[in-house]
Amino acid sequence: MQANQAIVTVLYYDAPVGLIMHNAVLDGLSFSESGRVMIPASFRKGKSIIAVLEGECKILNSLGERVFAQPNIGNLSSE
């Protein structure tokens, strides 16, 4: 990998109303003149990007993942 290329981890939701956070590692990205990593429009399409992290990151847990893992979420009936 050349010094003028970046590896980043992108955190995003599906646009416009995704509820589950996704992540993707992108490599070989260029930098703009201002020093920001340039994420391709083809990747950005259909996503609401919430964070760009330097390097390859492993997400251990995220907001809401335990809520979605519950089988009875939203079940208000009493048994």
Side-chain angles (χ1 to χ4, degrees):
M1 177 96 32
Q2 296 178 356
N4 62 345
Q5 294 184 331
I7 298 174
V8 298
T9 299
V10 180
L11 305 180
Y12 64 93
Y13 291 102
D14 292 324
V17 290
L19 298 175
I20 299 173
M21 186 176 69
H22 302 278
N23 66 80
V25 176
L26 306 176
D27 62 1
L29 301 179
S30 301
F31 292 93
S32 70
E33 289 183 11
S34 65
R36 295 181 69 174
V37 174
M38 297 176 60
I39 298 174
S42 59
F43 178 82
R44 293 191 322 258
K45 185 176 181 177
K47 297 174 179 74
S48 293
I49 296 175
I50 58 169
V52 178
L53 309 169
E54 184 177 16
E56 185 174 347
C57 302
K58 180 178 180 182
I59 308 303
L60 300 177
N61 59 36
S62 61
L63 179 65
E65 75 178 12
R66 291 184 184 176
V67 172
F68 286 113
Q70 299 298 318
N72 295 325
I73 193 76
N75 184 356
L76 299 177
S77 64
S78 58
E79 297 178 12

